[in-house]
Amino acid sequence: TVFSVSPTFAELPAGAAGRFSVRFAPEREGPLAHALVLVCDNCEVKELTLTGTGCVASLQLESVGGRPPLFQQNGRAVQDTLHFDDVSVHGAVSLPLAVQNS
C-alpha cells in the first residue's frame, strides 16, 4: 500500500498518548491521498486524510572525478559504468561524482 501505519493497533487508557509511524511509499508519480480511520472502543471514529506527491528524480551525470562523463549523446551523459582500475586488497579509492537532479 502507498500509505501504511505502524502499529496498527494500540491500547491507550484515558489521558494517555501514543506514537505511530505513517509511511508514504508512492508507486507512481503525482498526488495521492488516502483516508486513515481511527476507531476507539467507545465507537468514536476520527478520520484523517493522508496526502503526498510521488515524484521521479531525473539525475544527470555532470562529472566523474572532476572530468566530464566519457560518453555524451544529444548533450546528455550516457555513461553508466564507473571504473576504478586496480585497487589493493584492503585499500580504498574514492571517485567523486557530480550529479544534477533535473
Side-chain angles (χ1 to χ4, degrees), residues 65 83-84 87 91-97:
H83 186 65
F84 286 88
V87 178
V93 173
S94 296
L95 187 59
L97 300 177

Side-chain angles (χ1 to χ4, degrees), residues 64-102:
V64 179
R67 297 186 186 101
L70 295 177
F71 311 105
Q72 293 208 7
Q73 183 176 36
N74 299 326
R76 296 183 60 90
V78 294
Q79 180 175 353
D80 61 0
T81 301
L82 302 178
H83 186 65
F84 286 88
D85 293 319
D86 294 337
V87 178
S88 298
V89 174
H90 303 293
V93 173
S94 296
L95 187 59
L97 300 177
V99 295
Q100 179 181 14
N101 184 358
S102 53

Side-chain angles (χ1 to χ4, degrees), residues 17-98:
R19 292 185 178 266
F20 296 84
S21 176
V22 180
R23 182 173 183 258
F24 176 57
E27 297 173 349
R28 64 174 175 83
E29 189 175 9
L32 298 159
H34 191 77
L36 171 62
V37 180
L38 305 173
V39 180
C40 294
D41 60 358
N42 66 358
C43 297
E44 182 181 342
V45 176
K46 174 75 175 175
E47 186 171 314
L48 303 172
T49 301
L50 308 174
T51 63
T53 302
C55 57
V56 176
S58 176
L59 297 179
Q60 171 67 29
L61 183 60
E62 294 290 315
S63 68
V64 179
R67 297 186 186 101
L70 295 177
F71 311 105
Q72 293 208 7
Q73 183 176 36
N74 299 326
R76 296 183 60 90
V78 294
Q79 180 175 353
D80 61 0
T81 301
L82 302 178
H83 186 65
F84 286 88
D85 293 319
D86 294 337
V87 178
S88 298
V89 174
H90 303 293
V93 173
S94 296
L95 187 59
L97 300 177

